[in-house]
Amino acid sequence: MKNSRVTAIISSCLAIDSMAVRLYADFAVLFEGHELEAFWQEMSKEEETHVVFWRGMLKLARAGDIPEVFEEPEKVAGELKDVEAKV
């Protein structure tokens, strides 16, 4: 793991979007037979594209192929961990 700060940030983004996929899919089930079912299914599907993106980015980060792009990476990582905990 070449850049653990970037890896931590991307891991949090992956975790948050993964939770969103499941949450939106659960909402779709709750609204089964209602017009909102399709909306929540679409939201879940869209979040899945984000999950695929973050998985790819995580592989690159672990290989050291993503540079540090944040001025305060510890702050960003901490804020994302807070969001993740709230979700």
Side-chain angles (χ1 to χ4, degrees), residues 72-86:
E72 299 180 65
E74 290 84 8
K75 181 179 177 184
V76 173
E79 290 171 352
L80 285 168
K81 281 294 178 191
D82 290 344
V83 170
E84 191 177 338
K86 289 177 185 177

Side-chain angles (χ1 to χ4, degrees), residues 27-47:
F27 284 168
V29 171
L30 288 174
F31 288 98
E32 191 173 351
H34 188 277
E35 63 187 48
L36 287 175
E37 177 184 9
F39 169 77
W40 290 115
Q41 286 173 340
E42 184 61 31
M43 292 295 292
S44 181
K45 194 161 74 172
E46 183 176 317
E47 287 300 325

Side-chain angles (χ1 to χ4, degrees), residues 9-83:
I9 290 168
I10 293 171
S11 293
S12 287
C13 292
L14 174 58
I16 291 165
D17 280 346
S18 294
M19 286 185 256
V21 168
R22 291 189 304 274
L23 180 65
Y24 296 159
D26 289 347
F27 284 168
V29 171
L30 288 174
F31 288 98
E32 191 173 351
H34 188 277
E35 63 187 48
L36 287 175
E37 177 184 9
F39 169 77
W40 290 115
Q41 286 173 340
E42 184 61 31
M43 292 295 292
S44 181
K45 194 161 74 172
E46 183 176 317
E47 287 300 325
E48 185 59 44
T49 65
H50 299 166
V51 168
V52 169
F53 171 79
W54 291 123
R55 284 181 183 147
M57 293 296 287
L58 189 56
K59 286 179 186 177
L60 293 172
R62 287 180 174 155
D65 293 335
I66 298 181
E68 184 66 66
V69 296
F70 299 99
E71 287 185 27
E72 299 180 65
E74 290 84 8
K75 181 179 177 184
V76 173
E79 290 171 352
L80 285 168
K81 281 294 178 191
D82 290 344
V83 170

